[in-house]
Amino acid sequence: MTGEVDRLLSVPPSPAFWAAVVCYAAAATMLLVVLAGKQKLRPLALALVGLAFVAHGIDIGWRGTQHVHPAQSVREAIGFLAFILTGGYLLASAKFRLTIGGVVVMPVALIMLVAARLTPAGTEPESLSTLGRIHISLATIGVGVFALASALSAIYLVEERALKRKKFDAISFKDKGAPLESLDRLANRLIWVGFPIFTVALVLGAVWVSKLGESLDRPEYPLAGVTWLAFAGLLVARQVYGWRGRRAARLTLAGFAAALAVLLIYLLRRIVG
Amino acid sequence: MSELFVVGISWRTAVVAVREKLAFREEELSDTLRAMKAELPEVAEALLVSTCNRVEVYGVAKPGQDATGAVRRFLAEKRGQKPADVADVLYDYRGDHAVRHVFRVASALDSLVLGEAQILGQLKQAYGVAGGAGTSGPVLGRCLERAFGVAKRVRSETTIARGASNVSTVAVELAGRVFGDLSGKSVLVVGAGKMSTLAARHLRANGAQHIVVTNRSPEKAEALAAEIDGIAKPWERLVDLLAEADVVISSTGAREPILTKALFKKVTKARRYRQMVVIDIAVPRDAEPVIGEMENVFLYDIDDLEKVVHQNLAERAKAGEHAMKIVEHEAGQFEHWLKSQGVVPTIRALREKFAQIADAEVQKALDQLGRKDHTREQQREIIQRLVHLLVNKLLHQPTAALREARGDEATLRAEVLCELFGLEPVEGERESQPALAEPQAEPERKAAT
């Protein structure tokens, strides 16, 4: 047990982590420069995102060699979530111009990575059974996919606002980003992918908690339920009532906010002990 | 030296009523160019470009001659005008000013709509016609090829061609912002105005496959549908047609709005709130502004479209400053090349003369080597002698010319030689030893034995 505590507390960030931090910061800055009008620098900005993604992946791999699993704790899972977010952004950028999204996603990924590596690990390791690891892994992937859908929804709202209010001199209009319909469709597809994964994670989490005999009155449990309800409601509203566009984007962001709140509570509890 | 010139008329100097008097039809260009070359001895090369915004002759004058006056007269007379009547609207450029003008025109920096793409194609076509007529030559050819390169550079290195520059392309751009690829999207044209026809054509060109036209007059709807390769549908089915359309272009002559909030409540519900772009280019407007506030309905009127056009043109004007710098730089390089062409005949003659001398001496040496077997030492002597003889023969004439010159002429020749051959004469050694040995007969005899 002592060895496990030591491992949680003493695995320092790898050099790849620092490289990823530098690349994330440089990519965010470069994307801002692109957004300001230097379109020619876009390939360079995306190359920096790619480098950040690779360095982040190497850091996760290196931690694996130190027996630190990406789903070992919520703290590790947050780092892995940032990795999924960056990978998804890179994939989507191959098809669409998502400069505005990158300006938001890169700093968010950077904050998540730093929070995952540099915040205090807490005084005790979590009791992780196989069930617990599967739960955290699936929840991380599910929330990661929701995060991507939320990023697209946020871009949708920014672009839609400029188009609706006829702000033709707004940066979001001048940047000629992804078309609204594509953003809406892609966000919907991602939620269809993320929702079953998150549902299974939630069920396994409930079983795990009941096996541990923990109380269910912690705020993260109802919040996780709220997340599930938000995305379930969104899928139903889209199918049955034809919800799309702004309304769907707002509900996606609300659902993701609930998911983020769950992660934050976990993280704070670990830090505070 | 040959000089490039431009003579022409454009939207900058004359209104269309004047421009059209000097315009040439495409099929007239070739014969006009041939006639110009035949009738004007001052013109060595010529190209004629005639578009709705300009009629210009790009040419090369024969050395020492000014062809612009003759070309001015030629253009006027060919179009049945008195030269004096069009003298004020015609402009001409010579030399570096002409080069800059050609580069500016090719890069669409002299166009009515800055950065438009058509002029480059028109210039390429005119260049092809001049080539076919046999009136373009090496200087004009090089100038035009460079101009095409400059235009490409300007388009790729600046934002001069970015953004739609007219109302109908802005309509397409706005629809693209919502839908991206327009293939598979349905377009409904309400009314049969000219602007909506143009916009529908642009949408068709950008991938919209299903275009429906509706009008209170079924005949007009049929006519427009036939013109834009669409389908005419009855006006009475307007609600259904709107519900099926992704992009609506409206330009009726109605005095009251026909696209009302009440109507669109039904339409958006029937569409299950799918995104919809409504382009209202009618004046008075066909759509109530309030429908633009409805969810997933994006409404733009003629003022909105013109606002985007003005904004894009302002952006292009900004990019034009950068583009002008590119043109200046490239024109400077072209002028440098053009000036270097003046010494080309001299270089060619020098090379030919040297080659003749070298060939003759090499042949002599080969003959000697072929007469009998030589030892390695003898072969070395023959080659050494060949080199000495070659150097002496090549330098004989310039050396003699230098010795014969007197006073300032001698100094000038010496300075030129020093510069050409990178020499640094040492003062004390002036006549102490012969710089060049005269050809000697002895080694030849020795080697031949």
Side-chain angles (χ1 to χ4, degrees), chain A residues 39-40 156 160 163-164 166 168-169 173-174 176 179-181 184 238-240 242 244-245 247, chain B residues 157 162 177-180 185 272-275 292 294-300 304 308 311 315:
Chain A
Q39 296 292 337
K40 279 186 185 169
Y156 181 98
E160 196 237 22
L163 278 168
K164 270 276 191 189
K166 301 169 185 179
F168 302 128
D169 53 353
F173 185 81
K174 285 184 176 176
K176 297 188 176 176
L180 291 184
E181 197 187 47
D184 189 40
R238 270 188 182 272
Q239 288 303 111
V240 179
R244 63 190 78 225
R247 225 182 269 196
Chain B
E157 290 182 22
R162 273 189 77 186
R177 292 299 180 90
V178 175
F179 297 116
K185 295 296 168 197
R272 289 175 58 83
Y273 307 100
R274 277 184 290 124
Q275 285 88 352
M294 296 173 81
E295 213 169 320
N296 294 329
V297 178
F298 299 86
L299 169 69
Y300 303 102
D304 299 327
V308 178
Q311 197 172 295
E315 291 287 329

Side-chain angles (χ1 to χ4, degrees), chain B residues 255-273:
Chain B
R255 303 303 303 171
E256 297 295 326
I258 50 167
L259 306 178
T260 59
K261 188 181 178 185
L263 178 73
F264 262 69
K265 269 189 175 173
K266 289 182 208 163
V267 169
T268 51
K269 197 174 176 189
R271 288 178 56 78
R272 289 175 58 83
Y273 307 100

Side-chain angles (χ1 to χ4, degrees), chain B residues 45 89 195 213 216 232 236 249 284 304 308 326 382 385:
Chain B
E45 300 175 33
V89 292
M195 292 291 282
V213 181
R216 281 205 168 92
E236 294 69 32
I249 301 167
D304 299 327
V308 178
I326 294 174
I382 290 171
R385 191 180 162 279

Side-chain angles (χ1 to χ4, degrees), chain B residues 381-441:
Chain B
E381 279 181 20
I382 290 171
I383 291 168
Q384 269 183 339
R385 191 180 162 279
L386 165 70
V387 173
H388 282 300
L389 267 173
L390 205 52
V391 170
N392 286 332
K393 282 205 168 179
L394 292 178
L395 293 181
H396 175 71
Q397 198 167 341
T399 311
L402 198 58
R403 285 185 194 283
E404 283 163 12
R406 294 285 173 268
D408 289 347
E409 183 64 22
T411 313
L412 181 67
R413 287 183 183 185
E415 281 175 359
V416 169
L417 269 179
C418 285
E419 194 174 334
L420 288 178
F421 291 98
L423 306 176
E424 288 177 10
V426 182
E427 284 297 315
E429 295 174 357
R430 225 173 229 182
E431 292 292 337
S432 60
Q433 60 185 44
L436 296 162
E438 290 301 320
Q440 293 171 11

Side-chain angles (χ1 to χ4, degrees), chain B residues 156-225:
Chain B
S156 63
E157 290 182 22
T158 73
T159 53
I160 193 107
R162 273 189 77 186
S165 57
N166 60 55
V167 165
S168 48
T169 45
V170 168
V172 175
E173 188 184 322
L174 288 170
R177 292 299 180 90
V178 175
F179 297 116
D181 186 7
L182 293 177
S183 57
K185 295 296 168 197
S186 302
V187 178
L188 174 66
V189 180
V190 184
K194 192 185 168 194
M195 292 291 282
S196 54
T197 314
L198 276 174
R201 274 206 189 117
H202 269 97
L203 286 164
R204 163 81 73 200
N206 281 273
Q209 288 156 351
H210 190 237
I211 299 183
V212 174
V213 181
T214 188
N215 196 295
R216 281 205 168 92
S217 154
E219 295 78 24
K220 281 189 180 175
E222 289 286 353
L224 178 58

